[in-house]
Amino acid sequence: MCASAVSLSIGIWEDPRTGWIEGTAILVAVFLVALVTAGNNYTKELQFRALEKSSQRDERTSVLRDGSIERINPIDLVVGDIIILQSGDSIPADSIILDEGIVSCNESALTGEAEDLPKSRDRDCFLLSSCLLTEAEDKIRAMVIGIGMSSQWGKIKANLVSESVNTPLQDKLEDMAGLIGYIGTGAAIGTFIAMVAFRALEKSSQRDERCSVLRNGVIDRVNPIDLVVGDIIILQAGDSIPADSILIDDKVSKISCNESSLTGEPEDLPKSKEKDCFLLSSTLVTESDDKVRALVIGIGIHSQWGKIKANLVSEAVNTPLQDKLESKNKDPFLLSSCLITEGEEAKALVIGIGPNSQWGKIKANLVSEAVNTPLQDKLENMAEQIGYIGLVAAAGTFIAMVISIWARHHGKDILGGFIEAFILSVTIIVVAIPEGLPLAVTIA
């Protein structure tokens, strides 16, 4: 939500017409995700509760009232009711055994004890709710003494319903998350303050910059921003050149400049009026015999430094949607396979069809012959060699088997042997190709 609000505010501030789109899209997406998730969780919770209530409504237990046995819901039991239990029944309420005989009860639901416990009227006569009667000779009667939250199961559930307590690992993770949040917040605030201070310092340093300029026979110290083409600037060793200039001083015999800020070349370059007289802005005068005069020929974005900065700062390119929102009448071209979504009836002149349309050209570029990889070429060559070897092996096997059969049968009744030799030879050829293995098994 914070990101969408920030994006919406910045977008409207930068471009009131279309800047709201991104922030609004983020806001709508977050709202839809939250709404769908909450609705889904709420629906699941309702279904779970309905299922739980349905299972509770379907539960039945036998109770003796007014001399007759009735099947009622355990919720309707009251203290003093006499319930009828048999082997396999779940005990619906805390009860006391009234009949003689020994029964067995499994209390693992309460105590975790897996073994069945013997129960009788004279010894351990208590039957606890939610436990299971595992063995009984016949139906037994028991009197209800505790129901609902007053039963042992109800008391255990009441004790279990408490606020969740974090594990030591969860506490450490929460502390770590809080620490990371504090560090991130501090880093963000520090970055913001540093950027603001850097911008302020940069502007302050620009205001404080001064260079010497000769005007009306008097040398003044002015801000480089105030220079104009035709001014004569005075430079000496250590000065930063404020504008593109040409040396006009004959008296200085030696002057060097470092142009690494523009060209990346670390070595100093010699300058003179007769040879390489150009001094470029933002470069440094590293050596000079005396003060030297230079004529300003380029300032601001018209200097070499300004042109480089202008090339580095590229204009933001609009998306197709922004272009359409800004102007709907700039583009007269309708492209094939596209859909007209808005507008009245209009006439259009056909200028490209089939392969000559934009869609046709795109399809033609997409349809290209598959080119094998080097691995595929090697595998194909190896498969071809295996095929030749298999063919030779099959022919040799066929000839050897025919000769053997001819020698054994003296040229009589060799048709069956000939067919067997032929099938075996074909099997060898087919097995040489991995794809032919199922066919080889079928032939064999």
Side-chain angles (χ1 to χ4, degrees), residues 245-257 259 269-279 287 292-293:
S245 314
I246 297 176
L247 285 172
I248 59 173
D249 208 330
D250 297 327
K251 297 179 181 180
V252 178
S253 60
K254 185 177 182 181
I255 180 171
S256 299
C257 289
E259 297 181 353
L269 301 178
K271 302 283 183 176
S272 65
K273 184 179 178 181
E274 293 79 12
K275 184 179 180 181
D276 192 6
C277 61
F278 294 100
L279 304 178
E287 187 178 357
V292 61
R293 294 177 301 168

Side-chain angles (χ1 to χ4, degrees), residues 67-291:
S68 61
I69 298 176
E70 300 177 5
R71 296 284 291 174
I72 65 173
N73 194 300
I75 299 175
D76 299 326
L77 288 175
V78 294
V79 175
D81 273 337
I82 296 175
I83 56 177
I84 310 298
L85 301 172
Q86 59 184 349
S87 179
D89 284 349
S90 176
I91 302 171
D94 290 353
S95 313
I96 296 177
I97 298 175
L98 300 179
D99 294 335
E100 294 182 354
I102 298 176
V103 299
S104 296
C105 185
N106 188 300
E107 297 182 352
S108 59
L110 287 180
T111 63
E113 180 62 41
E115 296 182 0
D116 297 342
L117 301 177
K119 302 278 184 176
S120 66
R121 187 179 65 177
D122 301 325
R123 182 181 179 183
D124 193 5
C125 61
F126 294 100
L127 302 178
L128 302 180
S129 59
S130 79
C131 296
L132 182 66
L133 193 67
T134 56
E135 186 179 354
E137 296 177 356
D138 198 1
K139 294 182 179 180
I140 64 167
R141 295 177 301 165
M143 185 175 66
V144 175
I145 60 173
I147 59 173
M149 301 302 295
S150 301
S151 65
Q152 290 297 318
W153 176 243
K155 293 176 182 178
I156 291 175
K157 285 183 68 177
N159 291 330
L160 291 176
V161 178
S162 59
E163 295 183 1
S164 58
V165 180
N166 287 347
T167 63
L169 176 61
Q170 289 175 324
D171 290 333
K172 290 183 179 180
L173 290 175
E174 287 184 358
D175 294 340
M176 183 184 298
L179 182 62
I180 292 174
Y182 293 141
I183 294 174
T185 303
I189 295 174
T191 303
F192 177 77
I193 295 174
M195 290 182 66
V196 171
F198 177 76
R199 293 289 178 87
L201 183 62
E202 186 179 18
K203 290 185 178 180
S204 175
S205 64
Q206 288 178 353
R207 288 194 301 267
D208 295 338
E209 287 182 6
R210 289 291 184 270
C211 65
S212 300
V213 58
L214 180 62
R215 289 177 178 173
N216 300 323
V218 179
I219 297 177
D220 293 331
R221 297 284 291 174
V222 301
N223 194 299
I225 299 174
D226 298 328
L227 289 176
V228 295
V229 175
D231 273 338
I232 297 176
I233 55 177
I234 310 298
L235 301 171
Q236 59 184 350
D239 284 348
S240 176
I241 302 173
D244 290 353
S245 314
I246 297 176
L247 285 172
I248 59 173
D249 208 330
D250 297 327
K251 297 179 181 180
V252 178
S253 60
K254 185 177 182 181
I255 180 171
S256 299
C257 289
N258 187 299
E259 297 181 353
S260 59
S261 59
L262 288 181
T263 63
E265 180 61 42
E267 295 183 359
D268 297 342
L269 301 178
K271 302 283 183 176
S272 65
K273 184 179 178 181
E274 293 79 12
K275 184 179 180 181
D276 192 6
C277 61
F278 294 100
L279 304 178
L280 303 179
S281 60
S282 81
T283 59
L284 183 67
V285 178
T286 56
E287 187 178 357
S288 177
D289 292 341
D290 197 359
K291 293 182 179 180

